[in-house]
Structure formats: C-alpha cells, structure tokens
C-alpha cells in the first residue's frame, strides 16, 4: 500500500521525521540528495531506533607508521544510535556498524515532485 507521508523539503529541513502509518512507525531520513525509510524497530530488541540520536561517523586517520592524526567526523556518513541499547546503524545502508549482518528493515520510498510516499 502506497501512503503519502509528507513533503520532501520538510524532511530535508528537519533531517528526519518519524510517521505513524496505522500500527507501524517509519523513520524517513534525508541522506545526500535522497530520502531513505526504515521501520522504527531496532533488530536487536525492538527499540524505537528511528527516534535515536543522529551523528556523523567518527574516523581516525593514520599515517604510514600508524600514528593517529586525531579523530574526525566523516561529513558524508551519518549514523543513528538506538536509544535503548546504543546500537549504531548507517543511515544509507541500514547496517549495524559492528555487525553487518544486523540491519534495519527498509521501507521503499518514492518522491514525486515534493510529495513523499512509502510502501508498507
């Protein structure tokens, strides 16, 4: 079932929204030029993952001798952290940062003009 959930410019301005569709909740996130959707259920223990904190992935560049240049934030790689137990997921892929087998459940998103639709 295709459901209208909002306007693309609103989602981009906020960075993300969580919408209820019947008994289900879906998180919609502005990622790059697109919008991705994830079910608001953490695969770990069912927590409201899409209501977690968003942040840029931390990276630590090393030189040839493996000395650190300090920690930096990757401006293109955003993650979300489940508020229940702190599991971290890549917003582009839905994969857990530590265990690639653990993933968020994706929701197909379509943008038509400025109207955003999901299929649930």
């Amino acid at each position: 079932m295709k459901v209208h959930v909002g306007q693309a410019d609103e989602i981009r301005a906020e960075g993300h929204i969580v919408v209820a569709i019947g008994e289900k909740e879906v998180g919609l996130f502005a990622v790059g030029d697109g919008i991705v959707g994830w079910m608001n259920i953490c695969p770990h223990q069912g927590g409201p993952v899409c209501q977690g904190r968003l942040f840029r992935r931390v990276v630590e560049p090393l030189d040839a001798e493996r000395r650190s240049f300090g920690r930096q934030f990757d401006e293109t790689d955003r993650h979300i952290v489940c508020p229940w137990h702190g599991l971290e997921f890549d917003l582009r892929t839905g994969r857990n940062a530590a265990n690639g087998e653990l993933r968020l459940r994706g929701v197909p998103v379509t943008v038509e003009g400025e109207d955003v639709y999901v299929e649930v």
Side-chain angles (χ1 to χ4, degrees):
M1 169 173 60
K2 187 174 174 179
V3 178
H4 182 264
V5 292
Q7 299 293 302
D9 59 345
E10 294 171 4
I11 296 169
R12 288 184 189 108
E14 292 293 321
H16 79 286
I17 63 170
V18 177
V19 296
I21 303 169
E23 298 285 320
K24 300 175 182 177
E25 287 186 345
V26 174
L28 298 160
F29 300 86
V31 177
D33 293 334
I35 296 174
V36 297
W38 304 107
M39 293 301 296
N40 192 22
I41 302 170
C42 183
H44 175 236
Q45 289 189 347
V49 66
C50 295
Q51 293 165 327
R53 186 169 183 209
L54 297 172
F55 69 96
R56 290 171 184 88
R57 184 173 64 96
V58 176
V59 294
E60 186 173 8
L62 303 175
D63 67 12
E65 283 82 42
R66 303 196 48 81
R67 291 181 298 223
S68 174
F69 287 106
R71 293 190 179 116
Q72 302 170 0
F73 289 100
D74 183 334
E75 298 297 322
T76 63
D77 193 359
R78 291 186 18 209
H79 287 207
I80 190 163
V81 175
C82 181
W84 278 14
H85 299 106
L87 271 72
E88 176 184 334
F89 298 90
D90 184 317
L91 283 179
R92 295 169 299 159
T93 65
R95 288 185 178 179
N96 176 264
N99 176 358
E101 299 295 316
L102 196 60
R103 301 179 67 126
L104 299 177
R105 198 166 103 220
V107 176
V109 176
T110 306
V111 180
E112 297 174 9
E114 280 298 306
D115 293 313
V116 179
Y117 298 89
V118 297
E119 296 214 20
V120 292

